[in-house]
Amino acid sequence: MPKAAPAAAPAPDTADLPASYEAGLQELERLVAALESGQLPLDQLLAGYQRGSRLLAFCRERLQAVEEQIKVLDAGNLKPWTGA
């Protein structure tokens, strides 16, 4: 009887990403404040910078996905917002 293939593990870059854009942005804001405080040891600064880079990429991807969805919904013709 052949062995079942092991389940693929999630990619390390995506395994610990936030559940939503809002959660990612909130974490990124807290992280930036901590980095700017100047109170973190060098190894934590590096880890924070790496985490911040992943969060920034995540937030940008989410925004891009929403923009693409809006373009699809508007059939490629973005309409000016009238406020109504």
Side-chain angles (χ1 to χ4, degrees):
M1 179 177 226
K3 280 186 166 181
D13 289 343
T14 60
D16 62 346
L17 291 176
S20 67
Y21 169 82
E22 292 78 8
L25 186 59
Q26 188 174 43
E27 182 182 347
L28 185 57
E29 288 172 346
R30 285 191 307 264
L31 185 57
V32 167
L35 293 172
E36 289 178 341
S37 75
Q39 302 298 313
L40 296 176
L42 187 58
D43 59 335
Q44 288 182 4
L45 281 171
L46 179 58
Y49 181 83
Q50 291 170 335
R51 176 68 178 164
S53 293
R54 286 192 305 270
L55 288 169
L56 183 58
F58 168 80
C59 289
R60 284 180 176 165
E61 289 171 7
R62 288 290 181 120
L63 286 174
Q64 181 68 34
V66 168
E67 184 178 290
E68 292 300 318
Q69 288 176 347
I70 289 171
K71 286 180 182 178
V72 167
L73 291 173
D74 287 338
N77 297 317
L78 295 178
K79 300 171 181 89
W81 184 64
T82 62

